[in-house]
Amino acid sequence: MKIRENLYYVGVNDRVKHRFEGLWHLPHGVSYNSYLIDDEKVALVDTVDVAFFAEYLEKIRAVLGDRPVDYLIINHMEPDHSGALSLIRKYYPEIRLVGNRKTMEMVGGFYGANSEGDIVVADGDALSLGRSTLTFHLAPMLHWPETMVTYDAADGTLFSGDAFGCFGALNGAVMDTAMDYEHYISEMERYFAAILGKFCAPVRTALAKLSALDIRMICSTHGPVWTEAVPRVVDVYRRFSEGVTVPGLVVCYGSMYGNTQRVAEAVAEGAAAAGLRKVIVHNLSVSQPSFVLADIFRYGALAVGGPTYNGGLFPVVEDLLKRLAHREVRGRKLAFFGGYTWSSQAVKTIAAYNGHMKMEMAAEPVEWKQGASADALERGRALGKALAEAVMN
Ligand code: FEO
């Protein structure tokens, strides 16, 4: 699939995998994007998951026929992109790998596939293909320490690795200009929250570094090629990495027999009655974590509730808090609630997690013993109202 003069999309769709990285749900699949620059010298940019190698090779050969590939540019070594590296080397024995020092160490560690002709690049190094001159820019922790991005000044094209990528297989079109891409923007937010949410500081560093480049096209490793949407996708990364949110409340709860659920509903009612129009309620026994995290990255207020369980906090609620403690979720207004039957542990466990998360408390915790009493529901509504007022102000 031709993107522009001398540049082809040779990626593949994965509509089979249930969970990305074995963790994150893929209701709409995912694409593994690879690009072929057919210049005086021929370069592949990243590869695909090895399970799709036959289809991948067919796509490369549809462009090149029997001609060789000179370079394989490796922006990122996670196996969803490097998986086909060894087989590419087998089918194109003259190919030279291009990566930084850390990349080459991983090429050895994952595949034992280093070769004397490989080219080790440093930040700012350039490689001429003829019409195009590629420059390499290290972008550590976007998403692994070896990650770099590759820029082609001839057309202002950034080969960005995972950055600006999204979940969702491609449905016929590759270019943003040829599709309704709203769904992919939402899936980019979910991808960021799940995959890059821990690395907000490196994202901010990379955005500052890349702002010096004239970027007119972004070719990432997942999802559409961005052209008209470049400002929009860069803004997603700016907002999510800086903790810029919009007014809204995410109520996350777990419940065994419905008492915590009733208080959660009261929290949502209190927020809505206070005039907050965006209120999202997630039952953590049902909602998938990446969707919950994406909402928490989007909105400014968070309510968390769960019952005491086995002398601690209900597991699905603690799981969310663990995930949040591993992410940079700045400046959220927080309040929490929890019930117990004979030993109060839930509320104090949530409070302990907030010792790490350091969210700003918008209200005192709501706790109750045994059934969700009228008093507990009333205090739940007040908690929702306080969160709404905190986030609307
Ligand atoms: Fe799409 Fe970090 O790999």
Side-chain angles (χ1 to χ4, degrees), residues 175-179 181 225 227-228:
M175 307 298 296
D176 59 357
T177 46
M179 65 174 75
Y181 52 77
V225 169
T227 55
E228 69 174 29

Side-chain angles (χ1 to χ4, degrees), residues 47-118:
T47 71
V48 300
D49 187 303
V50 69
F52 297 85
F53 184 74
E55 180 184 346
Y56 179 50
L57 184 64
E58 194 176 293
K59 289 186 173 189
I60 295 169
R61 285 180 166 167
V63 178
L64 296 180
D66 293 332
R67 288 187 287 139
V69 181
D70 297 289
Y71 303 111
L72 170 57
I73 315 294
I74 308 171
N75 281 328
H76 183 23
M77 274 299 294
E78 194 164 6
D80 50 336
H81 311 299
S82 69
L85 187 156
S86 294
L87 284 171
I88 281 291
R89 176 143 254 176
K90 194 164 282 183
Y91 280 80
Y92 295 99
E94 304 303 320
I95 200 167
R96 301 177 74 185
L97 308 188
V98 180
N100 59 70
R101 185 179 52 77
K102 288 180 180 168
T103 309
M104 294 307 178
E105 185 206 325
M106 291 185 189
V107 168
F110 274 106
Y111 306 108
N114 300 103
S115 173
E116 273 186 10
D118 295 345

Side-chain angles (χ1 to χ4, degrees), residues 20-21 76 78 80-81 143-144 162 191 195 221-222:
F20 190 75
E21 294 182 335
H76 183 23
E78 194 164 6
D80 50 336
H81 311 299
H143 142 235
W144 279 8
D162 282 342
Y191 186 95
I195 308 297
T221 47
H222 302 287

Side-chain angles (χ1 to χ4, degrees), residues 262-284:
R262 291 187 66 200
V263 178
E265 302 281 13
V267 170
E269 287 166 20
L276 186 62
R277 296 175 64 86
K278 193 72 187 182
V279 179
I280 298 167
V281 178
H282 283 294
N283 178 349
L284 298 173

